[in-house]
Amino acid sequence: MLFLLVCLPFLGALAVYPASRYLHIHPSLVSGLTATLGLILVIHNGMAVYEGDLLLNQQQWMPAIGLSLSFRLDGLGLLFAELILGIGVLVIFYARYYLTEAEAGPRLYAFLLLFMGAMLGLVLAENLLLMLVFWELTSLASFLLIGFRRQDAEARQGARLALFVTGGGGFALLAALIILGQIVGSYELSDVLTSRELVANHPLYPLILVLFLLGVGTKSAQFPFHFWLPHAMAAPTPVSAYLHSATMVKAGIFLLGRFFPVLAGTDLWFYLVSGMGLSTLLLGAYYALFQHDLKGLLAYSTISHLGLITLLFGLGTPLGEVAAVFHVINHAVFKASLFMAAGIIDHESGTRDMRKLNGLFKYMPYTAVLAMVAAAAMAGVPLLNGFLSKEMFFGETVALSWLGEASWHWLFPLAATLAGILAVAYSLRFIHDVFFNGEPRDLPKLPHEPPRWMKVPVEILVVLCIGVGMFPNYTVRPLLEAAAGAVLQQPLPEFSLSIWHGFTPPLIMSLIAMGAGIALYGGRKWVISVHDRLPLQLNGKWMAERMLESLFSFGAKIDRLLDNRSLQRYNFLLLISAVAVGAFALQGETLFGSGEATPASIPALVGGFLLAAGSVTTAALHGRRLVAVIMLGLVGLITSLLFAYFSAPDLALTQLLVEIVTVILVLLAMYFLPQTTPPVSNLGLVSRDVLLGIVAGIGVGILCYSMLMQQGESISSYYLAQSKPGGGGTNVVNVILVDFRGFDTMGEITVLGIAAVGIFAMIQGLVLKGPRQDWRGGAWARDPHPVLLVTVSKLLLPIALLVSVFLFLRGHNEPGGGFVAGLVTGVALILQYIAEGSDDTRPRLPWNYLGLIGAGVLIAVLTGLGSWLFGFPFLTTSFTYVTLPIVGKFELASALLFDLGVYLAVVGTVLLILSGIGGLSRREREA
Amino acid sequence: MELTLSILIGTMTASAVYLLLRARTFPVVLGLSLLGYAVNIFLFASGGLTRNSAPLVEHGLKNLPDPLPQALVLTAIVIGFGMTAFLVVLALRALRDLGDDRVDGGGEE
């Protein structure tokens, strides 16, 4: 159920575009309905939560790393889910009237839903790792939303800054939660939340806390990471209203509440969290006063309010948590409505600059009243919701100083009052500067009331402000109790939500804040001029950008160091790294086991010597290319003998045939390539490479020797024992290929096909110039049809084809099979090409070679699928025996059909490659 | 025998690495081919060295070589051919497009 709920916005995001493109349904309708449906589901499921139930929904995903698709719905999750979906519905509704179709389009609504889904997943996740996944997703989705106006440089920069800061914090959070999960031994929240003793006494606790707060602080714009938030105002206003009231910036706050039962209650928590909150509270409030942009004011005030909530969490008192949760709700409600009001003003007057906006009351009285109520709630005026939580906040700071644990705790009520004064002053500025204070100055548009429906979301929110402010016990109390209970994980303290508590210290603080705030606003001209003359202006954006820049230039330096656009050098680095890694891995290992060595025989020594000599000669004489190719051919042939000598007839056959086609291939290519390699003058470089080669050779040699001297049981006895009864064949290698490991083989012929397709593509349109003379300077022989070869090849063809059929059919029991038979056929046909030229041969082989490869792979796949029809797993073999003359009794198995696929793919590949390269010379003649 | 084989594979690897580091495409193709042989023999040898037999179970299960490395190497040989061919054609294409058979089209020589 919860899983579906989280999926819902993502599904909606997918549906937005097709619905608007093909069904002409306005994207806001799809997204609005999605959000509304989600809200209904949450409210419906939330009924049980009020009773104190906890909905858990667990499902395995990747148990090996502790990641599960588990979701939980408790009070805290319920509160946030309702905010996310409820305000989401209003924001979508608002955006519908705020943005024209050309401005928004399906893209905006899809992003909004994506973001909504990410937030929902975050607040409902039960598994820590799952939570992190959604956390990162919110960062990404907000990046897309902030940078929505992608043609606007400021929006792009703001989006990048937000991603840089919050993404960086995400890393820290990742580390924190992983350590946390490792300590607890489980990534499930239910286990983590009950492990406070274990975690708080763990030596890594300070590290966890710091990393955790880095994640929280960056996301929730806490000092000193607050600077990204004002720049995120480049987003369209509906996005700002959503991200900066109820969702994005509240994600960090949510985590504070979520992990409060595990991490809070220590001195370190108190100092770090309340310190961060306190400085953010004051700094945000101070800067808010000096903004000239309406949205800028709201942005800094958001920072300040987030600081307030963080501070409350930092205090760690039960009543403080209730206040914190309460303020989360209130802030979301009044800030969303204020952003929307600011958007309306911007929309109808064309500017957000408070130096130009004055006296708008005359032009839009109705909007003005709505905005004034919301701003009053922000200031903490009685009868509105902001007053109640601010009162509780004041009360908590007073209580803290009265407890008198430390003498300097009197700072808290002082700072709270100061922040209150500033809040009153900036709220007053929002009201008075914009709606009164003379006449508007050269506005781009003549302001007027917005369309009726644009005001509806603001109205709803303002009504909520008043409703909660006047009748808190009937409106918000159940939700608040459920959410605060989930944060505290213990019985709630007694608290009363009422407007009049008597003449208490908090009330006095409120009165001081009101009076001093009004006075401060009165003297604003002087205050602003003093502020403007302050020499020190903190500019976090500038610092972050410098950091980013130096990071990039550092990266570019490293890049230049490694990359001089030379593949040869890459190769060197790659190989030397491989050698280094190998040497490192072998360090301290017992290299040589006690395996018994078999005595060397004379033929083996001779073969070995030839093989070694052949490879060294290939390397030494690579400048004389024809000689090198002959040497390489020698190496291939002896390798084939080696396989035969050590009881691998299938390998010997395959190697022999591949050697033939490889030599043909290389010779064909040599025709176009230069015939010699110019000698290299830099001897230092040569000796460097020789040295690396020798080191690598010694390393591989040691590795090989140590491997051969190990003793151990191979897993192959299973294959040997099961080959006949299970696979129906006696040639175990072939049975492994087409049966036991048939899936691998299927992949391998597919790879082969892909290589062939790549080659086909590269050959297209390739015209090369051949040489006019050979490397000795003699004339190039052009005898197209040597009679001897033509005669022999004609004779050979039917025999070769017959042999390949023979090899193919007996493959399951004796050496042979699809690979070998395919190679034999390929070689036989290529011989025709060589003898008679492609002009004569091609018409006689009227197949499309690419099609041949495709058919081969397809047959292999279909054979595998065929076993599904009979209810067996993919690639199950069934077989029966048939007797043919000469070949003898052989098995007719579905594996044979599979082998046919292999055969066709191999034939197609060989022909495609060789005839393709061979054809180049004809193109050259024509060109 | 084991020592001989190890030295052999080491020699082949050394020659192959040297060739891979050359500046022209052709020796690199040779080097990759050679390295392919060395790796195939290495993999094959991991199943142990058995003489005078074959992985055929018709006549009982005594003194049989390990069939698994053989099966793996068999496909590796064929794929090695595909890779060599790809590289060869890439070299031809580079010759046409860059007008030169250098690995980098300039750079270290």
Side-chain angles (χ1 to χ4, degrees):
Chain A
M1 190 65 218
L2 293 175
F3 177 66
L4 282 181
L5 176 64
V6 173
C7 285
L8 187 66
F10 294 108
L11 295 177
L14 284 179
V16 163
Y17 182 75
S20 95
R21 177 81 175 71
Y22 300 109
L23 303 174
H24 304 287
I25 301 173
H26 196 279
S28 66
L29 191 65
V30 179
S31 49
L33 284 178
T34 309
T36 313
L37 183 62
L39 187 62
I40 293 169
L41 281 175
V42 164
I43 292 173
H44 175 73
N45 280 297
M47 295 302 172
V49 175
Y50 289 119
E51 310 287 312
D53 277 4
L54 170 71
L55 296 185
L56 270 182
N57 205 325
Q58 276 164 319
Q59 202 170 343
Q60 288 297 338
W61 188 4
M62 282 184 244
I65 59 165
L67 177 58
S68 66
L69 269 179
S70 313
F71 294 96
R72 66 148 56 200
L73 185 67
D74 59 1
L76 189 68
L78 176 69
L79 164 66
F80 272 90
E82 288 188 356
L83 283 178
I84 291 161
L85 291 165
I87 298 202
V89 171
L90 296 179
V91 163
I92 289 167
F93 192 90
Y94 176 74
R96 161 77 179 81
Y97 293 96
Y98 184 82
L99 295 167
T100 61
E101 194 116 357
E103 269 179 307
R107 194 161 62 96
L108 181 83
Y109 296 98
F111 287 169
L112 274 175
L113 282 178
L114 182 69
F115 181 76
M116 187 183 286
M119 280 303 297
L120 261 189
L122 174 68
V123 301
L124 296 181
E126 154 77 2
N127 183 280
L128 297 195
L129 298 176
L130 188 66
M131 192 184 272
L132 276 167
V133 171
F134 285 114
W135 177 273
E136 294 297 333
L137 205 53
T138 60
S139 290
L140 288 176
S142 66
F143 171 78
L144 294 172
L145 282 169
I146 296 169
F148 182 74
R149 296 191 171 123
R150 45 193 171 186
Q151 66 283 5
D152 180 1
E154 226 172 278
R156 294 198 303 268
Q157 281 168 10
R160 202 179 63 174
L161 193 65
L163 185 68
F164 173 56
V165 177
T166 58
F171 272 128
L173 187 70
L174 172 74
L177 293 193
I178 286 178
I179 302 174
L180 190 61
Q182 291 294 331
I183 290 176
V184 175
S186 158
Y187 286 104
E188 299 296 304
L189 209 52
S190 310
D191 299 326
V192 173
L193 290 185
T194 50
S195 311
R196 182 173 180 282
E197 291 307 310
L198 184 67
V199 173
N201 295 323
H202 198 276
L204 284 178
Y205 170 75
L207 180 68
I208 298 180
L209 188 60
V210 168
L211 290 171
F212 173 75
L213 289 179
L214 274 175
V216 166
T218 47
K219 196 80 156 194
S220 281
Q222 297 296 300
F223 177 79
F225 309 110
H226 61 283
F227 53 85
W228 67 265
L229 199 149
H231 295 282
M233 290 299 134
T237 302
V239 170
S240 305
Y242 196 38
L243 260 52
H244 304 305
S245 65
T247 52
M248 166 88 169
V249 292
K250 291 278 167 65
I253 301 288
F254 166 78
L255 280 195
L256 281 179
R258 189 43 109 201
F259 289 97
F260 186 83
V262 210
L263 296 176
T266 60
D267 281 349
L268 194 63
W269 168 279
F270 172 75
Y271 287 119
L272 288 179
V273 180
S274 65
M276 186 164 83
L278 190 69
S279 46
T280 313
L281 168 69
L282 287 175
L283 210 80
Y286 175 75
Y287 276 105
L289 188 57
F290 301 106
Q291 300 303 310
H292 300 303
D293 179 4
L294 265 183
K295 273 175 85 178
L297 187 152
L298 292 177
Y300 276 102
S301 113
T302 297
I303 293 174
S304 169
H305 282 276
L306 293 168
L308 190 157
I309 300 169
T310 307
L311 173 57
L312 279 169
F313 273 117
L315 295 181
T317 57
L319 213 51
E321 305 329 304
V322 177
V325 173
F326 194 17
H327 202 67
V328 166
I329 306 173
N330 293 338
H331 177 253
V333 172
F334 67 66
K335 195 47 70 66
S337 61
L338 279 172
F339 268 115
M340 290 181 188
I344 291 177
I345 293 166
D346 183 15
H347 201 260
E348 304 308 331
S349 68
T351 180
R352 299 193 312 243
D353 191 333
M354 281 184 281
R355 285 164 300 190
K356 291 183 184 169
L357 292 166
N358 300 105
L360 288 192
F361 190 81
K362 267 195 294 208
Y363 303 96
M364 36 171 72
Y366 190 78
T367 309
V369 170
L370 291 177
M372 279 152 64
V373 174
M378 174 163 76
V381 172
L383 296 183
L384 296 169
N385 60 356
F387 172 74
L388 294 172
S389 46
K390 191 164 269 192
E391 200 80 332
M392 286 171 90
F393 164 59
F394 286 161
E396 277 312 291
T397 57
V398 172
L400 183 74
S401 70
W402 279 359
L403 276 178
E405 275 177 33
S407 54
W408 53 272
H409 281 176
W410 56 267
L411 271 172
F412 282 96
L414 185 73
T417 315
L418 192 60
I421 294 172
L422 288 165
V424 170
Y426 68 68
S427 304
L428 206 54
R429 181 156 185 229
F430 187 94
I431 297 171
H432 187 259
D433 259 22
V434 175
F435 296 112
F436 304 101
N437 199 19
E439 281 295 306
R441 267 164 256 170
D442 41 80
L443 290 180
K445 286 195 232 173
L446 186 70
H448 56 80
E449 285 284 352
R452 179 75 204 90
W453 290 104
M454 204 159 143
K455 286 180 289 194
V456 169
V458 191
E459 284 164 0
I460 294 174
L461 288 167
V462 166
V463 166
L464 279 176
C465 282
I466 301 171
V468 170
M470 291 174 72
F471 312 105
N473 287 319
Y474 302 104
T475 47
V476 79
R477 187 164 184 125
L479 183 61
L480 180 58
E481 278 178 351
V487 171
L488 287 171
Q489 297 275 312
Q490 55 186 358
L492 284 178
E494 278 298 311
F495 65 95
S496 97
L497 293 177
S498 61
I499 303 157
W500 179 251
H501 284 114
F503 215 64
T504 53
L507 187 66
I508 299 173
M509 287 161 77
S510 275
L511 290 177
I512 295 175
M514 290 289 163
I518 294 170
L520 183 62
Y521 178 70
R524 65 187 177 281
K525 291 218 172 76
W526 179 76
V527 175
I528 290 177
S529 75
V530 169
H531 170 79
D532 285 345
R533 266 179 280 142
L534 284 182
L536 182 74
Q537 302 278 358
L538 279 177
N539 193 338
K541 182 194 178 206
W542 185 82
M543 287 192 291
E545 275 174 359
R546 286 299 86 75
M547 246 170 81
L548 212 56
E549 250 170 50
S550 56
L551 197 68
F552 284 153
S553 67
F554 178 68
K557 250 182 224 155
I558 299 253
D559 187 44
R560 273 196 298 278
L561 205 67
L562 293 172
D563 173 17
N564 60 354
R565 302 283 152 213
S566 163
L567 294 176
Q568 198 185 352
R569 188 179 163 125
Y570 278 173
N571 229 344
F572 180 75
L573 290 175
L574 195 72
L575 286 166
I576 202 167
S577 315
V579 169
V581 169
F584 183 75
L586 285 179
Q587 238 176 11
E589 293 285 327
T590 317
L591 278 180
F592 303 113
S594 51
E596 222 171 295
T598 38
S601 62
I602 301 293
L605 284 177
V606 172
F609 173 75
L610 280 176
L611 199 50
S615 1
V616 173
T617 321
T618 312
L621 295 183
H622 72 87
R624 291 167 67 187
R625 295 185 169 181
L626 189 61
V627 180
V629 172
I630 294 170
M631 282 301 144
L632 191 72
L634 175 75
V635 171
L637 290 179
I638 297 178
T639 305
S640 161
L641 285 179
L642 184 145
F643 289 142
Y645 188 76
F646 290 114
S647 319
D650 278 295
L651 289 192
L653 269 173
T654 314
Q655 177 65 49
L656 185 67
L657 291 159
V658 163
E659 197 45 47
I660 294 170
V661 283
T662 306
V663 168
I664 296 173
L665 168 85
V666 174
L667 286 177
L668 283 174
M670 268 183 68
Y671 175 70
F672 296 109
L673 288 168
Q675 300 184 24
T676 53
T677 304
V680 178
S681 51
N682 188 343
L683 281 179
L685 206 68
V686 171
S687 39
R688 182 196 76 175
D689 296 347
V690 169
L691 196 69
L692 180 63
I694 290 174
V695 172
I698 290 174
V700 171
I702 290 175
L703 190 68
C704 182
Y705 189 63
S706 88
M707 178 185 75
L708 288 172
M709 298 311 278
Q710 303 290 333
Q711 279 178 314
E713 196 48 44
S714 152
I715 56 167
S716 298
S717 48
Y718 167 80
Y719 295 116
L720 290 171
Q722 287 299 316
S723 173
K724 182 81 175 167
T730 52
N731 180 3
V732 189
V733 172
N734 185 269
V735 174
I736 290 176
L737 284 175
V738 299
D739 192 340
F740 292 130
R741 313 286 311 167
F743 203 61
D744 291 356
T745 309
M746 208 180 80
E748 272 147 357
I749 58 173
T750 312
V751 170
L752 203 61
I754 291 171
V757 172
I759 289 167
F760 179 75
M762 282 196 288
I763 288 180
Q764 292 298 307
L766 186 62
V767 177
L768 287 162
K769 247 196 231 117
R772 298 280 157 254
Q773 52 194 14
D774 67 13
W775 58 282
R776 286 213 191 83
W780 193 269
R782 289 191 182 276
D783 185 1
H785 307 296
V787 178
L788 197 62
L789 191 59
V790 174
T791 318
V792 173
S793 74
K794 280 226 167 93
L795 273 173
L796 220 52
L797 181 65
I799 301 172
L801 291 179
L802 204 63
V803 167
S804 85
V805 172
F806 174 69
L807 284 172
F808 177 76
L809 286 180
R810 73 172 207 158
H812 220 44
N813 293 320
E814 301 282 326
F819 278 110
V820 175
L823 286 166
V824 170
T825 309
V827 170
L829 293 176
I830 283 304
L831 192 65
Q832 297 300 306
Y833 268 101
I834 295 174
E836 311 210 359
S838 53
D839 292 340
D840 292 340
T841 315
R842 190 74 184 97
R844 281 188 275 150
L845 298 171
W847 317 299
N848 176 349
Y849 299 144
L850 268 182
L852 214 56
I853 301 171
V857 175
L858 204 65
I859 288 177
V861 174
L862 288 178
T863 315
L865 291 177
S867 52
W868 276 355
L869 289 181
F870 303 98
F872 291 107
F874 191 61
L875 279 171
T876 309
T877 311
S878 56
F879 52 86
T880 174
Y881 293 94
V882 179
T883 309
L884 272 188
I886 303 174
V887 184
K889 188 175 122 175
F890 78 104
E891 178 211 3
L892 196 62
S894 64
L896 196 71
L897 209 56
F898 183 83
D899 224 9
L900 181 67
V902 174
Y903 170 84
L904 289 178
V906 171
V907 172
T909 305
V910 170
L911 287 181
L912 180 78
I913 293 172
L914 292 184
S915 72
I917 301 178
L920 291 177
S921 63
R922 190 183 47 167
R923 269 188 233 164
E924 178 229 346
R925 283 198 304 277
E926 286 165 1
Chain B
M1 197 81 91
E2 279 77 5
L3 189 62
T4 317
L5 194 74
S6 304
I7 294 171
L8 187 61
I9 293 175
T11 313
M12 291 174 82
T13 310
S15 312
V17 166
Y18 174 75
L19 283 172
L20 279 176
L21 292 169
R22 296 305 88 212
R24 305 283 170 158
T25 52
F26 191 74
V28 174
V29 172
L30 296 184
L32 199 71
S33 246
L34 198 55
L35 194 64
Y37 295 144
V39 170
N40 285 343
I41 298 178
F42 178 84
L43 284 180
F44 168 68
S46 72
L49 305 175
T50 313
R51 290 275 294 114
N52 300 321
S53 178
L56 308 173
V57 287
E58 218 158 358
H59 312 293
L61 295 173
K62 275 209 178 125
N63 187 36
L64 287 182
D66 192 336
L68 192 60
Q70 293 198 14
L72 297 182
V73 169
L74 197 150
T75 50
I77 294 172
V78 180
I79 289 203
F81 164 68
M83 196 170 67
T84 308
F86 192 86
L87 208 62
V88 163
V89 176
L90 193 65
L92 289 179
R93 187 85 208 188
L95 178 67
R96 212 282 302 266
D97 291 353
L98 304 175
D100 195 348
D101 71 332
R102 281 170 215 252
V103 171
D104 315 321
E108 284 178 68
E109 204 23 50

